[in-house]
Amino acid sequence: MGMQMAIRVFLPLLLLLASAEHSFSLYEDQVGLMDWHQQYMGKVKHAVFHTQKTGRKRVVVSTEENVIASLDLRHGEIFWRHVLGTNDSVDGIDIALGKYVITLSSEGSVLRAWNLPDGKMVWESFLQGSKPSKSLLSVLINLKVDKDNVILVFSKGCLHALSSIDGEVLWEKDFSAESIEVQQIIQPSGSDRIYAVGFVGSSQFNAYEIDAKNGELLKHKSAAFPDGFYGEVLLVSSDMLVSLDATRSSLVTINFQNEEINFGKTYISDLVEESSSNAVILPSKLSGIFAIKVDTFSVFIRVTTEGKLEVVDKINNAAAVSDALSFSEGQQAFAIVEHVDGKILLTVKLNHDWNGDLLKESIVMDHQRGLVHMVFINTYIRTDRSHGFRALIVMEDHSLLLLQQGAIVWSREESLASIVDVTTSELPVEKKGVSVAKVEQNLFEWLNGHILKLKGTLMLASLEDIATIQGMRLKSFEKSKMTRDHNGFRKLLIVLTRAGKLYALHTGDGRVVWSLLLSSLRKSGSCENPTGLGVYQWQVPHHHALDENPSILVVGRCGPNWDAPGVLSFVDAYIGKELDSLDLTHSVTQVIPLPFTDSVEQHLHLIIDADHHAHLYPRTSEAIGIFQNEFSNVYWYSVDADNGIIKGHDLKINCIGVADEYCFDSRDLWSIVFPSESEKIIETVTRKLNEVVHTQAKVIDGQDVMYKYISKNLLFVATVAPKASGEFRMVTPEESWLVVYLIDTVTGRILHRMTHHGSQGPVRAVFSENWVVYHYFNLRAHRYEMSVIEIYDQSRADNKDVLKLVFGKHNLTSPISLYSRPEVITKSQSYFFTHSVKTITVTSTAKGITSKQLLIGTVGDQVLALDKRYLDPRRSVNPTQAEKEEGVIPLTDSLPIIPQSYVTHALKVEGLRGIVTVPAKLESTTLAFAYGVDLFFTRMAPSRTYDSLTEDFSYALLLITIVALIAAIFVTWVLSERKELQEKWR
Amino acid sequence: MSLLHSLLTLSLLFSSSLAFRSDELLIDDEEFGLEGGVQGHPKSPAVAQTRSSPPPSTATTTRKRYSDSDQDSKIQFSLEHAFGDSEFSPAGTFTARLKTWNHGGQTLTKLRFSRNDFTELEKEKFQNVLKGDDFYKIRLPSNVLSPPGREFIISSVKARCLPREGLDEHFVIHMEGINILAVNYGSPGACPHPRQLKLPTKWSFNSHTVLKNTEQAQRTPIFSEEILGGEIGEGGEVVMPPERSFWAKYWMYLIPLGLIVMNAITQAMNMPEEQAGGQPQQPGAAVQRGPPAAVRRR
């Protein structure tokens, strides 16, 4: 009875605490106190400079994350930014009329104009076309049709000319019937003719001459080159193109403006002695000069006036070349950036004069940025009226830097826009022995701060004071310290980005503590296309092991396919140094962190390869010893979503035929085969491995106890009809369905199976404790829905008798075997939900006592906190009094969206892809990190901070009250003494 | 008819060749069948439980209409088993009636199972598996009409979970039309964790089979506006209880007030006494109070 009483007393208390409806809302002055927001764009692929005389200098960029943005050239800040959809990648960008940014996107089918100063969209045109092709964009500056610049777009086999004022199509010329692959659209300066050149087949060269005013075909020339072509053509001068022949051993010059098309052939071996046949023409837009890449060399070749080719220079290092930039009096310049012993060398050269360097600067560059990938140059007038040049460079780690006068003016860590995986690390414990001066200063600051705060609370503060208070709160020294704090709010977020760079971000203010470009994830001879897969906690030293630094395991593979060999890196989490790296002989399909650690607290990991072999790491005999003890209890499962098969495996003795004691064969224990004609797997979700569940018991109506079925081995699977598996295919409700499963991954038992007829994906789901919440689309109701499934253990349901509990006649402590037939019941309920959802996760706290909130990444790139109590199968239209007291909310058909419960308040996490929650040491608090193109971090308390005083608690007020009270006691004491004395003398 | 006949004779032949004759017990027209290995075996609680949860997907009326229609046909598919890492070998046969619905769907009903007895070799293998605490595996075709379909459905259990008096086994076969999605195989009851080595006294199987189809999800309730309005009104009431008593509202003020009043009353009570006592008593009172104060002052 005692326990039950305790539960009955404790639970309502908790629920009372949890019942704050507006559980996450902020005041205006609290923004930025415990959250931070960073804006990024991604790796830049095009940049155009804005050289308008009025206004500040800007650069407009488009990136690989489908972002177009306007940046301040002085500071690198974002003026405006647009994140296009995931399928709307930008093909080209240019400036028209000096005030519009023109972007071509979605494989050349959407052309948009944005207003340069504020980024508002001016017009949008959809271009039709029949066949996929290269997408080319060019704005004809010197050709005016009624004071209007003409925009030429070649896309989908069709050449369009559009007005830059309103995006109206002026004329169209369809090439799809001609079976030509158009390579270039050329407009010789000063003429109103344009040329479309391209190949038919591999050896026929075609050139079309078109009137730019009306799209009339003036001339069509064609010539065959018997050796065939390789790759693309490059325009080197107004009338000459360069390409490679099919064997890649010689350069072909094509002269197309004469009556006849002339070909000229030059062997690369004649130009470069020690050349192989793997030459590539570097894409560049220079005139009279071009670069080819032969082996590791970049060879610059000039076209002489007679049409001959001659080598002007050979650069031995990885180099990047900019496009030509015309500055005063028709002079053209371009920039070359190369790496010379640890520094980068920026050279700006005149187009026609190779030896006349306009600029030569060498800049010290952090080697963590890798090689230069791209360079864009811009000119400006110096104070002495000469021409200066600045260069925008894109590095291997995706960072963007502006170089001017031999220095890095600003840099942006654009790699953080493409986070692949996130993990956390604790900060070092604070060392004892802080100097007295520091304390005194801190004490003074502390007192000063509190007096200011007191002023604020007593409404005595002036405007400046308020500003100081706010500034102090935002830049609190406490927040960004590099040591562990008592509440566990300060941590390091270790993020792996697509560039193969690892960053440690401080949770206090989001600054980069260290960054590391992983050598194992860089492109090299043995590893052509490295991809980062994930980060795992490798070594987490115990609290008392102060001298050890935790380390992180980074897993990657050398190629886009699952059977590519893997790479591992071990990185120190405090200083960001690569401790070790391994090139694996096997592939990596799954990484399973095992719940075992060895004597130096390294976590054991199993890596499963494409052949279903398991490899144990770390490769020590001690690890083998630990693993052997638990060998028979290790099960794993694999999901083959393409074939609709889920299989369970256990491990056998060592691999056959391989002399490797860390390799284990696995065998199939169970399989579930979804019929391919009716079901397709679209989502699988498991519980978080490190989730803590506080209690297994759930009290119902204050009387009854239900036991949650809590198993680490549950897998939620959602399948849909194959017809409806794409993103919103046109299907009728009758031919689409969604089936959800709860599967035990040790035995392969299906514990729950349920069909939602007339529903389709995409499904987003989250699994926690004993419940799953998933989001899908209901075709019948034309609305999004969210459903919850809760699963309860019936085999323990009769442990309600207190006497039994007292005398130990219960089965609560007996070990659970999954081979027993499970006695479970499931409860489920569905609700409508307004938004479509990008991702769902759940808050997690240190002990799991605090009630849970779902964090929903909405389609508007915001994070919405929704109380789990809204998704409770026990909700009914008219809850009983007991249920009401317990906090069961009356059933409504849709889930409420309370504007105050947006965790991101007014901010947007553009391109939101994932949300990670990490428990703080303080039970009430959870740390949430949302990432996409932007990063957002906040601290949230789903049931309010019931276990600590709030940030703005005024200690000074408390202190002053105490002092005043003590003073009052003394005064009254003295007074009473005096009175007594007087009375005595009477 | 001839097919049925041949099947019957086949099954007769089949069963007569075995040492143990399986005596099938068909419970009723439900989708699950029950196969008792030993005649007169008392019904285990597990069986009762399976009966108590019939799959809710099919309606009784339609089933009755089609139960004896010509579209039904009998089909047969085999169960295979393996001991530890051994190869799979035939272990029994499932027979069922294939029912074709008027909307074109096909489902299985009246599932029966006849299990072959272990041969001596198999007994030996099973004992080895028991000793090594290894897996006993079974497999079924994923498509009952064209076995094995795309792939076999495998399920396995630690062999030590099976032996009771005889060998108890429990199949839950998850169906989707004519496809078998998964089979959950294990003991019908618990399998306590430190698995003890226990050899079966009788080498015969008690088989329980359950066919399961998918459940329908509940439709999301759609409330009309009025109900919603009512809901909100009610909710509002819940948030603001209509009448809280005066005491409940103002107790925090009333208690100090009461204390002050009581204090005043006691003082008022004392005052007349003191006045009644007159002046002479006052020094005494002062003396009484004096010493501790004096002590304190030092």
Side-chain angles (χ1 to χ4, degrees):
Chain A
M1 205 62 205
M3 190 184 109
Q4 217 174 343
M5 269 307 285
I7 292 171
R8 282 170 69 174
V9 172
F10 188 59
L11 229 92
L13 202 79
L14 251 182
L15 286 162
L16 196 80
L17 287 163
S19 62
E21 285 284 320
H22 46 282
S23 44
F24 196 87
S25 51
L26 298 171
Y27 292 103
E28 193 185 349
D29 63 340
Q30 285 177 317
V31 171
L33 273 190
M34 44 193 187
D35 56 347
W36 46 263
H37 180 233
Q38 292 175 356
Q39 294 187 318
Y40 294 101
M41 310 172 303
K43 187 185 184 184
V44 169
K45 26 180 210 188
H46 309 283
V48 283
F49 289 88
H50 180 214
T51 48
Q52 213 181 23
K53 287 182 186 81
T54 53
R56 299 165 81 180
K57 304 266 176 172
R58 297 179 179 196
V59 59
V60 180
V61 296
S62 74
T63 72
E64 286 179 356
E65 304 295 321
N66 305 346
V67 175
I68 47 168
S70 169
L71 298 179
D72 180 356
L73 268 182
R74 297 257 157 71
H75 308 104
E77 286 153 9
I78 296 172
F79 274 124
W80 54 261
R81 181 180 59 153
H82 292 286
V83 182
L84 307 181
T86 42
N87 302 322
D88 201 6
S89 70
V90 183
D91 303 306
I93 180 167
D94 211 333
I95 288 182
L97 295 175
K99 59 180 180 182
Y100 294 158
V101 180
I102 309 291
T103 60
L104 181 67
S105 59
S106 286
E107 282 142 7
S109 59
V110 188
L111 190 72
R112 296 190 183 96
W114 315 83
N115 194 17
L116 240 176
D118 56 5
K120 291 210 175 90
M121 191 159 81
V122 184
W123 50 258
E124 184 176 39
S125 282
F126 295 94
L127 306 174
Q128 305 299 323
S130 47
K131 67 170 192 185
S133 75
K134 252 175 106 161
S135 310
L136 305 163
L137 168 75
S138 63
V139 178
L140 306 182
I141 297 161
N142 40 23
L143 181 90
K144 301 260 176 179
V145 180
D146 305 331
K147 290 181 189 169
D148 185 4
N149 281 359
V150 176
I151 301 167
L152 279 184
V153 175
F154 182 80
S155 69
K156 303 204 165 176
C158 193
L159 182 67
H160 311 261
L162 295 101
S163 152
S164 55
I165 291 171
D166 52 6
E168 201 108 344
V169 177
L170 301 172
W171 51 263
E172 271 179 335
K173 173 90 184 84
D174 197 354
F175 286 99
S176 54
E178 328 256 342
S179 75
I180 180 180
E181 277 180 53
V182 172
Q183 298 282 344
Q184 288 267 1
I185 301 292
I186 299 151
Q187 193 229 353
S189 55
S191 81
D192 53 1
R193 281 173 300 176
I194 45 178
Y195 294 91
V197 296
F199 302 130
V200 176
S202 63
S203 61
Q204 188 83 16
F205 178 83
N206 279 22
Y208 295 86
E209 195 179 326
I210 295 162
D211 190 332
K213 293 220 160 101
N214 51 21
E216 216 172 284
L217 182 65
L218 301 174
K219 218 180 274 175
H220 173 211
K221 286 175 281 191
S222 175
F225 183 68
D227 291 355
F229 296 102
Y230 172 84
E232 301 181 352
V233 292
L234 189 74
L235 183 75
V236 287
S237 66
S238 59
D239 59 350
M240 188 178 278
L241 295 162
V242 171
S243 184
L244 282 169
D245 76 342
T247 59
R248 294 167 78 180
S249 62
S250 55
L251 290 164
V252 185
T253 55
I254 307 161
N255 207 320
F256 63 94
Q257 281 200 7
N258 301 343
E259 286 302 307
E260 292 278 296
I261 294 170
N262 300 323
F263 297 107
K265 192 170 166 183
T266 316
Y267 286 99
I268 294 173
S269 52
D270 292 346
L271 297 167
V272 191
E273 280 86 48
E274 63 277 25
S275 72
S276 66
S277 62
N278 290 324
V280 179
I281 295 183
L282 292 174
S284 59
K285 281 180 197 159
L286 307 174
S287 69
I289 205 159
F290 65 97
I292 59 169
K293 196 169 186 266
V294 185
D295 297 332
T296 57
F297 301 102
S298 296
V299 182
F300 290 86
I301 298 167
R302 189 166 63 197
V303 186
T304 59
T305 42
E306 301 88 49
K308 290 270 179 330
L309 302 180
E310 61 178 44
V311 174
V312 287
D313 203 356
K314 204 162 90 174
I315 295 175
N316 205 345
N317 304 298
V321 185
S322 78
D323 291 348
L325 170 83
S326 38
F327 59 111
S328 64
E329 299 103 42
Q331 279 190 307
Q332 285 194 318
F334 67 97
I336 302 170
V337 180
E338 52 191 309
H339 292 262
V340 180
D341 32 84
K343 292 180 175 181
I344 61 164
L345 188 67
L346 170 71
T347 326
V348 178
K349 287 176 190 291
L350 276 173
N351 239 349
H352 52 85
D353 182 13
W354 182 265
N355 296 320
D357 291 345
L358 287 169
L359 190 76
K360 199 160 191 165
E361 286 168 351
S362 104
I363 296 132
V364 182
M365 183 65 74
D366 181 7
H367 66 276
Q368 295 300 345
R369 297 199 186 277
L371 305 173
V372 177
H373 274 189
M374 259 184 262
V375 55
F376 305 94
I377 57 163
N378 175 226
T379 177
Y380 63 96
I381 309 291
R382 290 212 189 101
T383 43
D384 60 354
R385 305 245 163 222
S386 64
H387 285 281
F389 293 93
R390 49 166 90 95
L392 196 65
I393 58 171
V394 181
M395 304 294 291
E396 189 181 357
D397 72 338
H398 297 186
S399 60
L400 183 71
L401 300 100
L402 185 79
L403 308 180
Q404 187 177 327
Q405 290 153 271
I408 299 169
V409 183
W410 50 260
S411 65
R412 295 181 58 93
E413 296 287 350
E414 290 305 336
S415 180
L416 288 170
S418 56
I419 290 177
V420 175
D421 198 9
V422 183
T423 187
T424 54
S425 165
E426 293 288 345
L427 282 160
V429 179
E430 195 158 5
K431 298 275 192 298
K432 291 279 182 295
V434 188
S435 72
V436 182
K438 212 173 174 183
V439 171
E440 270 181 353
Q441 192 207 348
N442 285 346
L443 195 72
F444 178 72
E445 268 180 17
W446 185 84
L447 255 179
N448 202 17
H450 279 293
I451 286 164
L452 270 174
K453 250 189 207 174
L454 181 70
K455 268 180 150 180
T457 32
L458 298 179
M459 303 195 184
L460 296 170
S462 64
L463 276 175
E464 291 135 55
D465 285 347
I466 290 172
T468 353
I469 294 169
Q470 189 63 12
M472 227 161 52
R473 288 168 85 183
L474 290 179
K475 281 199 260 328
S476 146
F477 169 70
E478 277 291 306
K479 209 169 74 168
S480 54
K481 249 187 189 170
M482 275 303 295
T483 52
R484 229 173 264 192
D485 65 334
H486 182 67
N487 291 333
F489 294 162
R490 291 199 296 262
K491 284 182 201 298
L492 285 180
L493 291 167
I494 315 267
V495 299
L496 176 68
T497 65
R498 201 149 57 214
K501 198 169 186 183
L502 203 62
Y503 289 86
L505 305 175
H506 197 287
T507 55
D509 50 5
R511 70 173 191 278
V512 175
V513 177
W514 53 258
S515 62
L516 173 71
L517 188 63
L518 289 164
S519 58
S520 55
L521 290 179
R522 288 181 72 175
K523 198 181 261 191
S524 65
S526 60
C527 196
E528 266 302 309
N529 253 322
T531 354
L533 293 177
V535 276
Y536 301 88
Q537 291 183 337
W538 177 250
Q539 193 178 9
V540 185
H542 196 260
H543 279 293
H544 306 295
L546 302 181
D547 47 343
E548 295 243 13
N549 290 6
S551 56
I552 300 290
L553 166 70
V554 184
V555 182
R557 63 162 183 256
C558 285
N561 298 323
W562 284 110
D563 50 2
V567 284
L568 300 184
S569 268
F570 305 93
V571 180
D572 188 311
Y574 286 171
I575 55 173
K577 216 181 111 212
E578 190 164 25
L579 301 170
D580 193 11
S581 74
L582 290 173
D583 288 333
L584 307 183
T585 50
H586 56 82
S587 55
V588 178
T589 54
Q590 266 190 66
V591 182
I592 306 172
L594 298 171
F596 318 120
T597 52
D598 65 5
S599 58
V600 290
E601 306 200 60
Q602 288 181 343
H603 283 270
L604 269 59
H605 284 71
L606 265 189
I607 294 182
I608 311 289
D609 68 11
D611 304 323
H612 285 183
H613 293 306
H615 303 265
L616 181 70
Y617 290 88
R619 295 166 80 91
T620 57
S621 54
E622 190 197 352
I624 282 281
I626 296 164
F627 189 59
Q628 290 288 7
N629 289 338
E630 299 290 338
F631 194 72
S632 61
N633 287 330
V634 176
Y635 300 89
W636 61 281
Y637 69 94
S638 58
V639 180
D640 182 355
D642 297 333
N643 295 319
I645 297 174
I646 301 178
K647 277 184 178 169
H649 314 269
D650 78 334
L651 298 178
K652 252 182 0 190
I653 323 299
N654 292 9
C655 292
I656 300 157
V658 190
D660 181 2
E661 57 173 326
Y662 304 103
C663 170
F664 303 93
D665 264 338
S666 56
R667 56 180 179 180
D668 297 355
L669 285 187
W670 53 266
S671 62
I672 295 174
V673 181
F674 295 103
S676 53
E677 65 273 13
S678 64
E679 289 182 45
K680 187 177 187 330
I681 301 173
I682 54 164
E683 177 81 328
T684 55
V685 173
T686 54
R687 274 178 64 191
K688 254 195 263 180
L689 281 175
N690 54 0
E691 191 186 56
V692 183
V693 180
H694 176 245
T695 172
Q696 206 198 345
K698 183 172 178 178
V699 181
I700 308 286
D701 292 346
Q703 308 283 330
D704 214 356
V705 181
M706 285 191 87
Y707 289 90
K708 299 173 187 168
Y709 186 79
I710 290 166
S711 163
K712 293 259 180 200
N713 304 308
L714 279 185
L715 174 71
F716 169 82
V717 179
T719 65
V720 290
K723 258 188 170 176
S725 64
E727 299 248 323
F728 296 101
R729 298 275 174 75
M730 297 308 280
V731 279
T732 60
E734 284 69 36
E735 55 187 14
S736 78
W737 52 83
L738 168 76
V739 194
V740 292
Y741 297 86
L742 286 181
I743 296 167
D744 183 298
T745 55
V746 170
T747 59
R749 280 180 202 275
I750 295 179
L751 298 177
H752 182 64
R753 179 179 171 204
M754 190 166 73
T755 310
H756 294 267
H757 279 287
S759 296
Q760 69 171 9
V763 171
R764 302 275 179 266
V766 60
F767 200 146
S768 170
E769 293 197 353
N770 67 325
W771 52 263
V772 192
V773 168
Y774 51 100
H775 177 274
Y776 53 91
F777 189 73
N778 186 336
L779 279 166
R780 285 221 174 88
H782 300 287
R783 288 169 89 171
Y784 286 100
E785 272 185 10
M786 271 170 110
S787 287
V788 58
I789 303 173
E790 293 191 354
I791 180 162
Y792 291 97
D793 192 352
Q794 284 296 93
S795 63
R796 306 188 158 213
D798 42 349
N799 293 314
K800 286 171 194 160
D801 196 345
V802 178
L803 275 177
K804 264 193 185 173
L805 288 173
V806 170
F807 293 112
K809 282 182 183 168
H810 58 84
N811 58 0
L812 291 178
T813 50
S814 61
I816 303 167
S817 171
L818 290 169
Y819 287 108
S820 303
R821 203 160 73 92
E823 297 169 43
V824 293
I825 54 162
T826 50
K827 294 181 168 190
S828 163
Q829 209 167 52
S830 305
Y831 321 89
F832 292 122
F833 189 70
T834 319
H835 292 305
S836 74
V837 160
K838 285 187 167 176
T839 174
I840 309 184
T841 189
V842 67
T843 58
S844 57
T845 53
K847 304 240 164 24
I849 300 169
T850 310
S851 67
K852 304 239 171 205
Q853 280 185 340
L854 297 171
L855 296 183
I856 298 168
T858 63
V859 73
D861 291 326
Q862 291 206 304
V863 179
L864 179 75
L866 183 69
D867 217 306
K868 167 67 179 60
R869 291 183 303 140
Y870 286 108
L871 290 135
D872 182 352
R874 291 179 53 227
R875 285 177 71 184
S876 58
V877 178
N878 288 311
T880 61
Q881 194 57 39
E883 282 175 337
K884 275 183 193 169
E885 278 170 14
E886 209 185 297
V888 174
I889 301 163
L891 182 64
T892 48
D893 56 354
S894 55
L895 296 171
I897 292 173
I898 305 156
Q900 289 95 318
S901 59
Y902 278 104
V903 176
T904 42
H905 35 93
L907 301 168
K908 269 175 107 180
V909 188
E910 294 280 5
L912 181 66
R913 281 200 312 271
I915 306 168
V916 177
T917 56
V918 189
K921 229 182 265 172
L922 203 63
E923 168 56 31
S924 67
T925 314
T926 177
L927 309 176
F929 177 59
Y931 60 91
V933 174
D934 289 354
L935 308 182
F936 179 79
F937 174 86
T938 192
R939 199 162 79 206
M940 47 190 296
S943 308
R944 291 191 169 179
T945 48
Y946 55 82
D947 50 1
S948 71
L949 292 171
T950 52
E951 287 270 304
D952 48 358
F953 180 80
S954 178
Y955 289 93
L957 190 63
L958 181 69
L959 214 71
I960 286 167
T961 316
I962 290 167
V963 168
L965 279 174
I966 289 168
I969 286 166
F970 272 95
V971 168
T972 47
W973 178 55
V974 168
L975 283 176
S976 78
E977 287 290 311
R978 202 174 284 167
K979 199 181 170 192
E980 265 178 38
L981 198 62
Q982 274 174 1
E983 275 175 4
K984 276 178 195 162
W985 281 107
R986 195 172 288 170
Chain B
M1 203 56 212
S2 63
L3 179 84
L4 197 80
H5 187 76
S6 62
L7 265 174
L8 252 162
T9 43
L10 191 82
S11 66
L12 266 170
L13 267 170
F14 201 60
S15 52
S16 62
S17 68
L18 301 171
F20 162 68
R21 187 171 214 189
S22 155
D23 197 347
E24 294 169 6
L25 171 70
L26 188 71
I27 303 235
D28 55 14
D29 257 359
E30 292 295 342
E31 269 88 345
F32 56 83
L34 169 76
E35 155 76 22
V38 186
Q39 199 174 13
H41 177 75
K43 276 177 191 167
S44 67
V47 177
Q49 201 180 357
T50 28
R51 290 186 68 190
S52 65
S53 58
S57 57
T58 43
T60 329
T61 47
T62 50
R63 184 168 62 229
K64 281 284 181 286
R65 192 156 18 116
Y66 284 95
S67 60
D68 44 7
S69 85
D70 293 335
Q71 291 168 328
D72 293 4
S73 60
K74 260 201 157 176
I75 54 150
Q76 201 171 19
F77 52 96
S78 67
L79 173 85
E80 294 180 309
H81 64 177
F83 305 90
D85 296 329
S86 78
E87 292 293 310
F88 281 94
S89 56
T93 326
F94 283 96
T95 43
R97 184 172 286 181
L98 184 69
K99 197 172 274 183
T100 308
W101 302 91
N102 52 356
H103 56 73
Q106 288 177 309
T107 49
L108 291 189
T109 53
K110 295 187 183 173
L111 184 76
R112 301 175 190 198
F113 177 50
S114 78
R115 207 191 217 290
N116 308 350
D117 253 15
F118 276 164
T119 60
E120 284 306 315
L121 185 67
E122 284 171 333
K123 275 182 197 171
E124 196 181 304
K125 277 184 180 169
F126 193 79
Q127 280 177 3
N128 286 337
V129 167
L130 280 180
K131 277 171 196 150
D133 193 19
D134 208 346
F135 288 97
Y136 175 68
K137 296 185 189 175
I138 56 136
R139 73 176 185 189
L140 287 173
S142 63
N143 188 315
V144 292
L145 287 188
S146 55
R150 273 205 300 155
E151 201 158 306
F152 281 104
I153 308 287
I154 307 170
S155 187
S156 35
V157 69
K158 286 275 184 187
R160 287 187 184 180
C161 291
L162 294 179
R164 296 278 139 93
E165 202 155 304
L167 291 163
D168 288 2
E169 59 180 359
H170 186 264
F171 295 88
V172 182
I173 302 174
H174 291 267
M175 302 290 299
E176 173 66 48
I178 50 159
N179 292 299
I180 297 178
L181 207 86
V183 54
N184 302 340
Y185 179 69
S187 68
C191 180
H193 171 57
R195 287 182 287 271
Q196 305 297 330
L197 175 59
K198 181 184 164 196
L199 291 176
T201 45
K202 273 189 278 181
W203 284 98
S204 61
F205 272 97
N206 281 320
S207 309
H208 312 278
T209 54
V210 177
L211 268 188
K212 263 196 178 168
N213 278 305
T214 180
E215 279 174 46
Q216 298 291 317
Q218 265 181 310
R219 294 280 302 271
T220 309
I222 299 172
F223 300 137
S224 65
E225 289 297 313
E226 298 114 83
I227 299 171
L228 259 176
E231 272 300 301
I232 289 159
E234 222 179 87
E237 273 175 41
V238 172
V239 175
M240 283 292 288
E243 275 302 308
R244 269 201 300 174
S245 67
F246 180 77
W247 177 247
K249 271 185 194 164
Y250 301 113
W251 60 271
M252 63 287 268
Y253 307 112
L254 289 178
I255 288 173
L257 199 77
L259 285 173
I260 290 164
V261 168
M262 270 164 70
N263 204 12
I265 287 169
T266 44
Q267 276 199 358
M269 296 264 279
N270 289 340
M271 285 288 266
E273 271 176 36
E274 279 173 19
Q275 273 170 3
Q279 289 294 91
Q281 269 199 359
Q282 202 142 18
V287 170
Q288 271 176 12
R289 260 192 275 164
V295 170
R296 235 189 311 158
R297 209 175 301 162
R298 247 156 243 156

